[in-house]
Amino acid sequence: MKTLRVHCNHQNFILHPSGVAYWEAKRMLLIADVHLGKITHFRKHGSAIPQASLHHNFNQLKSVISNFESDTICFLGDLFHSYMNNEWLLFKAWIETLNCKVVLISGNHDIIDEERYTQLGVEVLQEWEHDGFLLTHHPETREGVYNFSGHIHPGVQLLGLGRQHLKLSCFHWKDNQMIFPAFGVFTGNYIIKPKSGERIFVNTEDEVLEIALHS
């Protein structure tokens, strides 16, 4: 995997192709919009999604975490898609394997009782202001802090010769804010139209790269 190091608000971050970022100074892994339980929810309502897909998010989480020495894992909201289902048991088993602090910034889909997370040692916050950064689920603009958020599931559509096109998830970088791509499988992307001065870091299967914006 080819990561990309970026400098933001006097701090260094490593962007990973899976859509997570590693805050080097804080040894913190930042992950947005995993939407655990969504596959089970879809299957329950008749969608033909293979049973094996249930383990995709957890395998991806394990793989990413193994690449970084993290003291903290912070989920930027929408960790679970809806109410508790069988994937909660997988989540509980996964949490028990960790040797670091886990924080959930509550998102609009996070409707599971906070006490359930507390019992697993997961701290639940509405937002987290930390060393000049504001960690939220919904994008926020607040004076004096740089905002990291999720919720939007940003993506871009790249056009090539012969009218072919490719849709990729991306980190959407603005002057005072970076919106993270969705981590979870089957989450979909919202195709954005970046403005002048913004930056886009797209995620391929094995690389993060910045793309030039055309006016």
Side-chain angles (χ1 to χ4, degrees):
M1 291 285 181
K2 186 175 181 181
T3 58
L4 181 67
R5 179 177 279 103
V6 296
H7 190 69
C8 176
N9 198 25
H10 311 296
Q11 296 284 337
N12 291 321
F13 296 85
I14 299 174
L15 307 184
H16 188 274
S18 64
V20 312
Y22 181 68
W23 188 348
E24 290 187 312
K26 302 299 179 183
R27 292 165 57 96
M28 182 187 299
L29 203 58
L30 299 153
I31 308 173
D33 297 280
V34 183
H35 287 272
L36 295 173
K38 188 171 188 177
I39 294 173
T40 297
H41 178 79
F42 279 5
R43 283 175 56 84
K44 182 178 179 180
H45 290 84
S47 297
I49 301 175
Q51 178 73 20
S53 299
L54 284 176
H55 298 278
H56 176 87
N57 285 327
F58 294 101
N59 291 337
Q60 183 84 320
L61 284 168
K62 292 174 184 177
S63 176
V64 170
I65 290 170
S66 69
N67 285 280
F68 301 100
E69 295 182 358
S70 302
D71 293 333
T72 306
I73 298 172
C74 180
F75 292 101
L76 299 175
D78 288 0
L79 176 55
F80 259 81
H81 182 69
S82 186
Y83 295 99
M84 290 180 64
N85 55 37
N86 290 339
E87 287 184 55
W88 180 265
L89 299 178
L90 296 176
F91 174 69
K92 180 177 182 294
W94 174 72
I95 284 289
E96 290 171 350
T97 68
L98 300 178
N99 295 306
C100 61
K101 179 179 180 180
V102 180
V103 176
L104 167 61
I105 308 299
S106 187
N108 53 293
H109 279 274
D110 291 308
I111 59 177
I112 294 174
D113 194 316
E114 181 177 329
E115 181 62 25
R116 295 281 190 173
Y117 289 104
T118 302
Q119 291 171 358
L120 298 182
V122 177
E123 183 178 3
V124 181
L125 303 173
Q126 295 303 307
E127 61 179 42
W128 189 6
E129 190 169 332
H130 192 37
D131 276 14
F133 289 85
L134 177 64
L135 310 181
T136 62
H137 176 60
H138 291 87
E140 298 279 351
T141 300
R142 195 173 301 174
E143 187 175 352
V145 291
Y146 193 96
N147 177 227
F148 283 159
S149 66
H151 183 63
I152 302 297
H153 302 194
V156 290
Q157 180 169 280
L158 305 181
L159 303 178
L161 300 176
R163 297 184 179 180
Q164 70 269 40
H165 64 271
L166 178 64
K167 294 180 180 179
L168 296 172
S169 67
C170 67
F171 294 89
H172 186 189
W173 175 301
K174 304 181 183 183
D175 284 341
N176 60 353
Q177 180 183 84
M178 184 160 69
I179 304 174
F180 279 55
F183 181 89
V185 67
F186 299 120
T187 52
N189 295 321
Y190 173 74
I191 301 302
I192 60 174
K193 295 181 179 179
K195 299 177 182 178
S196 176
E198 298 178 351
R199 302 171 70 184
I200 295 296
F201 302 95
V202 299
N203 305 303
T204 70
E205 288 187 4
D206 56 8
E207 184 176 10
V208 181
L209 50 90
E210 183 171 7
I211 61 171
L213 300 179
H214 300 285
S215 57

